[in-house]
Amino acid sequence: MNRTALALGCLLIATPALAQSVTEKTGVNSVLGIAPSTPDFVKQVAISDMYEIQSNQLAERKGNAAQQTFAKQMITDHTKTSSELKAMVTDGKVKAALPTALDSAHQEKLDKLKNASGAEFSELFGEQQVEAHQDAVSLFERYAKGGDNDALKNWAGTTLPKLQHHLEMAKQLERDRTSTTSQSAK
């Protein structure tokens, strides 16, 4: 009986550490408003920046004029945040590994964009940008409030207003696209 209790106790202690990545990945932390761990935050930010840069490079080539303007700004801003994050990891202020490739979910979104064109591209791009920036705002808000690395927590807080502005820009891009689409359908 003591061994069972000891094993159960060890499992309960280990579970939060093991489950953090799973809960962040599945969105449970976001729903509950729980801050991600530093490694999860770094991974998600790096992947988000890679996705933003690559998807907006596609928009520069395939998007309409408004999307191309938006894309230039996103590439500039997300290249900057990516460099800032890398610098914090490289100089040792943050202990975490930086991913070098997109995860499967972001790669799938990017592949859909690569295969789309015209109105289909515009619709998909707009929807993905709103969703990506909603996710980023949630991630940064949660880490800024409850993160465990002071330098990264401060950075998240100072970067958050720019991401909130990106979200508003993405929503406006979508509103403009849908109003243009509905007007041309009349």
Side-chain angles (χ1 to χ4, degrees):
M1 191 76 112
N2 275 346
R3 284 187 210 174
T4 304
L6 181 61
L8 183 59
C10 289
L11 182 61
L12 290 174
I13 291 168
T15 299
L18 297 173
Q20 273 185 326
S21 292
V22 173
T23 55
E24 190 62 39
K25 188 174 182 178
T26 60
V28 172
N29 282 355
S30 181
V31 170
L32 298 176
I34 298 170
S37 68
T38 294
D40 281 345
F41 180 74
V42 168
K43 179 181 178 182
Q44 293 304 314
V45 170
I47 288 171
S48 176
D49 278 345
M50 283 188 275
Y51 166 77
E52 283 299 322
I53 292 165
Q54 292 176 38
S55 64
N56 280 285
Q57 286 170 337
L58 287 172
E60 281 187 311
R61 293 192 303 275
K62 299 170 94 174
N64 60 36
Q67 289 171 331
Q68 290 171 352
T69 301
F70 174 85
K72 284 178 185 15
Q73 185 68 53
M74 294 305 107
I75 291 168
T76 299
D77 291 351
H78 287 281
T79 298
K80 181 179 184 255
T81 57
S82 189
S83 296
E84 291 169 351
L85 181 63
K86 185 176 182 179
M88 283 190 281
V89 170
T90 303
D91 73 10
K93 289 181 182 173
V94 175
K95 304 280 187 241
L98 287 168
T100 57
L102 294 174
D103 61 9
S104 59
H106 285 88
Q107 186 61 56
E108 186 178 318
K109 290 178 185 181
L110 193 62
D111 290 344
K112 286 180 181 178
L113 282 176
K114 286 177 182 176
N115 293 322
S117 59
E120 180 188 14
F121 177 86
S122 290
E123 180 178 354
L124 200 54
F125 177 75
E127 290 170 356
Q128 286 185 12
Q129 288 301 306
V130 169
E131 180 184 337
H133 285 96
Q134 286 172 332
D135 291 347
V137 166
S138 168
L139 184 70
F140 275 73
E141 282 176 341
R142 290 181 292 118
Y143 198 86
K145 287 178 186 169
D148 58 6
N149 179 292
D150 289 339
L152 198 56
K153 189 175 173 178
N154 183 50
W155 178 75
T158 58
T159 305
L160 183 58
K162 180 67 96 175
L163 293 173
Q164 290 166 328
H165 179 65
H166 288 179
L167 176 57
E168 288 310 312
M169 291 171 64
K171 286 179 176 179
Q172 186 61 52
L173 196 63
E174 266 301 89
R175 283 191 293 271
D176 293 348
R177 182 191 62 78
T178 57
S179 70
T180 302
T181 304
S182 63
Q183 287 175 0
S184 64
K186 290 180 183 177

